[in-house]
Amino acid sequence: MEHHQQQEQEHNIVSDEVLVNGIRTILTLSSDGILYWVDQNGKLSSLCVEKQVLGLTTVGLLITVKTLVSKGGGVFCLGRGSLCRTRFLFEALSADSLRNLSDKIQGYIDSLGRPKKLYVFVNPYGGKKSASKIFSNDVKPLLEDANIEFTMQETKYQLHAKEVSRSLDLTKYDGIVCVSGDGILVEVVNGLLEREDWAAALKTPLGAIPAGTGNGMIKSLLDSVGEPCTPANAILAAIRGHKRSLDVATIWQGETVFFSVLMLAWGLISDIDIESEKYRWMGSARIEFYALQRILRLRKYNGSIWFVPAPGFEDVGEASGSCVDCMQPIKPRQHGYQGPNFDLQNANWRKLNGPFVSVWLHNVPWGAENTLAAPDAKFEDGYLDLIVTRECPKLALISLMSKLNDGGHVKSPYVVYIKVKAVILEPGTRTDKSMKEGIIDSDGEVLARGKGTYKSDLKSLMVYDKLQVVVDQGLATLFTPI
């Protein structure tokens, strides 16, 4: 028995007597990171430091362990979602005991490689304008509980986050967190890729907290491990400090370059996305309302798509040779990332001809919290998922659109769903009105507005003409739940 106890103690990092609600018990941190003790009811209680403990503080002889735990199990808490902040209090019996316990527990937390300082962007204008409140109520308290220092910057105008990211001293921070929709994250990636030290800068992990209209990136990350898309789950992923790579697509036209991490859309999806802005007063219902309008008065677009298929998809479309004439190389840039190193001229190009109802390119599974656009998409497989609809009866299209929330649309016989390495999109005019063109958007930004489109007088990044997309594997870094 004594030998067994001795072995057990050798497997513990620290074990010492404490008071819990005035009752003596032993507080133990095991070598596999479990903190356990017997509570006042004689029940064994435990916390997994890696998954549940945010941090600890000491005042006098009192050790406060700050946690984020699942609701239930006798835990009462206020707050939304399935996680809540809870504190566990342990009173050490002496100053030496206090020091020993707190040093060993803190030492274990430090060994997990968590960030110590974060740069936090908050977009007060995005979505329902709730980002500042989410930061105050959900993000800031958890960062403070985890003893993580942070610098908070509210974005003041479009591309503000891109400007800051381009010149930020990244040696001072262990990561960047964006409290917004997907837009600020996209700006940050574009800013980092324009830096002279872009390769090192892209190793800075990026976190997203859902606080906008589209929260596709964080929804994709949390859903991949079966967690709900809440600010608490999202900030916990950043606090815990796990990282994963993310593919980045380079979209270019002449000398103009845009870096995409989410999606590119042309046709029905893009029209709904951008034109429904005129019904912004309706809130999120505007998308469904305008989608039905757009389907009932369906547009089709002339055009062509050239693509380099991933292995297994070489039979889709028709062969189109080397595509030497259709691919323009990226113009060398003064500084920053120069684009993917991929032999475009000698790749196995295939072609799909229009007319098209919808063309969608996706880098991650979810386009928004309720849109599972590309169920087979992976964060770092080096491919984009191409979802194309050409001919489709209106009733079938309504049914297809209703399945976007669970990814069922990709099983439709009217949908081509493949993985690709590179794409050339040559958009054309509407089939019913040859004087009218379409809209191309990427990651929530309008890349090009054709003739006769919504707000076509506004200047956009590119012209409504041929553009090229190539994906680079694992270029950026994300904070990930596991």
Side-chain angles (χ1 to χ4, degrees):
M1 184 71 177
E2 266 181 46
H3 177 66
H4 176 69
Q5 283 180 326
Q6 190 183 341
Q7 269 191 323
E8 210 169 69
Q9 282 171 353
E10 283 171 6
H11 282 103
N12 295 330
I13 293 170
V14 67
S15 189
D16 213 335
E17 253 194 313
V18 292
L19 296 175
V20 174
N21 292 333
I23 297 165
R24 283 191 179 220
T25 185
I26 304 286
L27 178 64
T28 299
L29 175 62
S30 67
S31 56
D32 54 357
I34 306 297
L35 200 58
Y36 58 90
W37 66 98
V38 174
D39 68 15
Q40 68 266 35
N41 301 317
K43 276 176 66 182
L44 185 67
S45 296
S46 65
L47 289 166
C48 173
V49 176
E50 205 277 326
K51 290 185 177 170
Q52 297 173 304
V53 174
L54 297 169
L56 61 91
T57 52
T58 60
V59 177
L61 291 177
L62 207 60
I63 300 170
T64 303
V65 177
K66 299 171 182 181
T67 70
L68 197 62
V69 297
S70 299
K71 286 184 180 177
V75 173
F76 172 77
C77 57
L78 299 168
R80 298 169 296 141
S82 57
L83 296 173
C84 57
R85 292 169 70 209
T86 310
R87 296 174 178 217
F88 294 88
L89 307 178
F90 304 98
E91 190 178 343
L93 301 185
S94 69
D96 283 347
S97 173
L98 174 99
R99 196 176 307 111
N100 186 33
L101 281 165
S102 59
D103 284 358
K104 292 282 172 50
I105 298 168
Q106 187 60 55
Y108 186 83
I109 293 171
D110 291 343
S111 76
L112 297 170
R114 292 180 175 182
K116 291 196 165 36
K117 189 158 187 189
L118 293 171
Y119 194 92
V120 182
F121 285 108
V122 176
N123 176 12
Y125 308 108
K128 296 173 186 158
K129 301 183 170 51
S130 58
S132 299
K133 194 174 170 187
I134 286 170
F135 174 74
S136 301
N137 294 352
D138 299 281
V139 176
K140 185 168 178 266
L142 295 183
L143 291 177
E144 287 171 346
D145 281 357
N147 302 318
I148 293 175
E149 290 181 55
F150 58 88
T151 300
M152 192 275 276
Q153 171 67 60
E154 282 200 342
T155 54
K156 296 183 168 55
Y157 47 85
Q158 201 175 8
L159 301 183
H160 185 194
K162 181 182 175 183
E163 285 173 17
V164 173
S165 306
R166 207 162 39 205
S167 55
L168 189 65
D169 182 356
L170 294 171
T171 60
K172 291 182 178 174
Y173 302 97
D174 302 311
I176 298 172
V177 170
C178 308
V179 186
S180 79
D182 293 306
I184 299 298
L185 180 72
V186 175
E187 283 192 29
V188 171
V189 170
N190 274 265
L192 296 180
L193 281 160
E194 288 185 4
R195 295 168 65 109
E196 293 202 14
D197 65 343
W198 63 268
L202 285 172
K203 290 186 172 62
T204 302
L206 310 176
I209 312 299
T213 309
N215 302 305
M217 185 61 74
I218 190 61
K219 170 71 175 184
S220 296
L221 283 164
L222 292 169
D223 185 70
S224 71
V225 294
E227 290 181 6
C229 188
T230 67
N233 286 93
I235 193 60
L236 183 60
I239 288 169
R240 288 170 63 191
H242 296 300
K243 305 174 188 74
R244 80 181 305 160
S245 299
L246 174 70
D247 297 340
V248 178
T250 302
I251 305 170
W252 76 98
Q253 184 184 73
E255 294 181 15
T256 308
V257 178
F258 179 80
F259 301 109
S260 163
V261 292
L262 279 157
M263 51 74 82
L264 177 141
W266 169 55
L268 179 62
I269 300 296
S270 178
D271 291 349
I272 292 167
D273 219 14
I274 304 305
E275 293 176 5
S276 67
E277 281 176 10
K278 59 183 111 165
Y279 301 107
R280 197 169 269 278
W281 54 271
M282 293 177 74
S284 57
R286 71 185 166 101
I287 299 288
E288 287 80 6
F289 169 76
Y290 193 68
L292 192 58
Q293 269 196 306
R294 264 294 43 86
I295 291 169
L296 294 175
R297 292 183 298 180
L298 192 61
R299 301 167 182 165
K300 292 177 190 170
Y301 292 92
N302 295 308
S304 300
I305 308 166
W306 287 265
F307 59 94
V308 177
F313 299 100
E314 295 91 345
D315 297 336
V316 178
E318 57 191 55
S320 84
S322 67
C323 205
V324 173
D325 299 331
C326 52
M327 200 77 192
Q328 301 295 319
I330 293 183
K331 299 270 194 320
R333 310 173 79 207
Q334 274 188 310
H335 49 75
Y337 170 69
Q338 297 295 317
N341 184 16
F342 179 66
D343 185 359
L344 298 161
Q345 305 296 345
N346 297 309
N348 169 33
W349 287 93
R350 309 284 296 174
K351 188 180 183 186
L352 287 170
N353 288 313
F356 298 100
V357 169
S358 169
V359 174
W360 223 353
L361 264 179
H362 250 270
N363 192 34
V364 295
W366 292 84
E369 282 187 64
N370 60 354
T371 308
L372 182 53
D376 296 340
K378 302 283 184 286
F379 293 92
E380 50 194 316
D381 64 353
Y383 296 103
L384 296 169
D385 287 35
L386 175 63
I387 308 116
V388 177
T389 307
R390 289 190 281 184
E391 286 300 319
C392 190
K394 289 178 184 179
L395 270 177
L397 195 53
I398 290 170
S399 164
L400 191 152
M401 293 290 281
S402 72
K403 292 174 183 159
L404 282 175
N405 62 342
D406 65 5
H409 62 290
V410 300
K411 297 185 178 81
S412 165
Y414 299 105
V415 172
V416 174
Y417 180 39
I418 62 171
K419 285 187 178 285
V420 297
K421 181 71 187 173
V423 168
I424 297 164
L425 175 63
E426 189 166 39
T429 58
R430 278 166 48 179
T431 53
D432 60 335
K433 293 181 179 173
S434 60
M435 293 304 293
K436 293 208 167 183
E437 297 173 328
I439 295 170
I440 302 168
D441 81 308
S442 178
D443 296 3
E445 294 300 314
V446 175
L447 287 187
R449 297 177 195 265
K451 288 185 302 215
T453 58
Y454 175 67
K455 293 190 174 177
S456 57
D457 53 321
L458 290 183
K459 191 176 185 325
S460 48
L461 194 64
M462 299 178 183
V463 295
Y464 187 76
D465 201 349
K466 190 186 290 180
L467 53 80
Q468 297 146 149
V469 188
V470 179
V471 66
D472 211 340
Q473 188 168 14
L475 203 57
T477 311
L478 293 174
F479 283 121
T480 185
I482 56 170

